[in-house]
Amino acid sequence: MTWNVWWRFGDWEPRQNAIQQVLKEVDADIVCLQEVWSSEDGEDQVRNLATSLGMHYARTPEKWWKGHSFGNAILSKYPITKTECEQLPPLDGPGTRWAIAAVVDHTNTQIPIICTHLDYRFDQSARRQKQVEKIFELAKKHHSPEGHPVIVAGDFNATPNSDEIRMMTGEAPTPIEGLAMTDAWPQRNDSPGWTWDKQTPYLENATWPQRRLDYIFVSWPRPAPLGNVEEAFLAGVDPVDGITASDHWAVVADLITPT
């Protein structure tokens, strides 16, 4: 599962319970979160969620802004044996973006996960393409054609026909020859899969809704059927006690893994 949980924006306090309830209902083995927060006073959204759900977790470095951090995290039902964080370009200026890689030990099979969040502005495709290049460099460290494929998930702030997403899937030249990513959504779902949707109450005044911005990718080549997609759907769509949990819908994919 991947989900942008909208930091401390909007009615953020009642949204915390809604986020937790959606995660509990979906009950995913591995969750990639974007726009998570912690506070200088010790409050930590990721730790709170992991504790309540009984999951392991890893997060990007805490960079403080007005007393709070802004980053990505991975939650896992299974032990996390290794983590690595990479800052995405550009490396200077505000709004630093990160990718976090973790290796999850699932019944003695090592599953590499990368969670990321790319720049958001409509005119920043060139920056996102550079960020995709960095993500591929990170994925190459963990990819093996004979092993479990790398799962790359997050908020890419780009539509499927964009240059940066086409670079991921091989519809345009990939940053690293011999490595590409399967987009999980169209493998098992014929709907548009909009995750930035005007049906979200927080997007009443959004300038460009009706876009699929959030993705789960699986690296290729891989030893099929390992990593093949069995199901893909959206989550977080229904309010919890009248509260919509985030301004993004979550994406969930059921992948074939070792039993």
Side-chain angles (χ1 to χ4, degrees), residues 5 10 12 15 22 47 80 84 111 119 134-135 138-139 155 177 191 193 199 204 238 248:
V5 291
W12 69 271
R15 289 197 300 102
V22 172
R47 185 182 62 228
I80 296 174
E84 178 181 4
I111 302 178
D119 277 312
K134 192 67 175 180
I135 290 165
L138 185 57
D155 177 2
E177 187 175 357
S191 73
Q199 299 303 316
E204 180 180 358
D238 297 325
H248 283 242

Side-chain angles (χ1 to χ4, degrees), residues 223-235:
L226 193 64
N228 284 2
V229 183
E230 294 191 304
E231 185 179 16
F233 59 94
L234 299 178

Side-chain angles (χ1 to χ4, degrees), residues 172-235:
T174 63
I176 295 177
E177 187 175 357
L179 179 61
M181 303 284 167
T182 300
D183 179 0
W185 185 262
Q187 303 303 306
R188 290 294 180 180
N189 203 309
D190 295 331
S191 73
W194 293 320
T195 57
W196 186 249
D197 187 353
K198 65 183 179 183
Q199 299 303 316
T200 312
Y202 308 118
L203 301 188
E204 180 180 358
N205 297 315
T207 54
W208 190 3
Q210 311 310 87
R211 293 186 296 156
R212 182 159 72 94
L213 303 179
D214 304 82
Y215 299 83
I216 297 173
F217 296 103
V218 186
S219 68
W220 176 95
R222 61 180 183 268
L226 193 64
N228 284 2
V229 183
E230 294 191 304
E231 185 179 16
F233 59 94
L234 299 178

Side-chain angles (χ1 to χ4, degrees), residues 16-32:
Q16 302 312 299
N17 178 66
I19 290 167
Q20 179 178 313
Q21 291 306 310
V22 172
L23 291 174
K24 183 177 180 180
E25 179 180 340
V26 173
D27 193 30
D29 291 334
I30 298 168
V31 180
C32 293

Side-chain angles (χ1 to χ4, degrees), residues 81-102:
T81 60
K82 186 186 302 183
T83 61
E84 178 181 4
C85 293
E86 288 281 354
Q87 187 176 351
L88 303 180
L91 302 183
D92 56 347
T96 300
R97 302 288 173 158
W98 291 83
I100 178 172

Side-chain angles (χ1 to χ4, degrees), residues 125-201:
S125 175
R127 287 172 64 136
R128 288 189 290 270
Q129 290 175 56
K130 292 293 185 183
Q131 292 169 347
V132 165
E133 291 174 3
K134 192 67 175 180
I135 290 165
F136 262 71
E137 292 175 11
L138 185 57
K140 184 181 179 182
K141 296 180 182 180
H142 297 275
H143 175 78
S144 169
E146 293 80 31
H148 193 286
V150 183
I151 300 170
V152 181
D155 177 2
F156 282 72
N157 277 309
T159 56
N161 62 343
S162 66
D163 290 341
E164 47 270 43
I165 298 301
R166 293 172 62 245
M167 287 169 61
M168 294 285 297
T169 62
E171 294 183 50
T174 63
I176 295 177
E177 187 175 357
L179 179 61
M181 303 284 167
T182 300
D183 179 0
W185 185 262
Q187 303 303 306
R188 290 294 180 180
N189 203 309
D190 295 331
S191 73
W194 293 320
T195 57
W196 186 249
D197 187 353
K198 65 183 179 183
Q199 299 303 316
T200 312

Side-chain angles (χ1 to χ4, degrees), residues 68-125:
H68 304 286
S69 68
F70 180 101
N72 311 324
I74 296 172
L75 306 180
S76 172
K77 288 184 178 179
Y78 308 102
I80 296 174
T81 60
K82 186 186 302 183
T83 61
E84 178 181 4
C85 293
E86 288 281 354
Q87 187 176 351
L88 303 180
L91 302 183
D92 56 347
T96 300
R97 302 288 173 158
W98 291 83
I100 178 172
V103 177
V104 171
D105 185 2
H106 172 48
T107 60
N108 295 320
T109 296
Q110 305 301 298
I111 302 178
I113 312 291
I114 297 175
C115 173
T116 195
H117 185 192
L118 305 192
D119 277 312
Y120 74 95
R121 281 177 38 170
F122 301 156
D123 61 343
Q124 289 181 327
S125 175

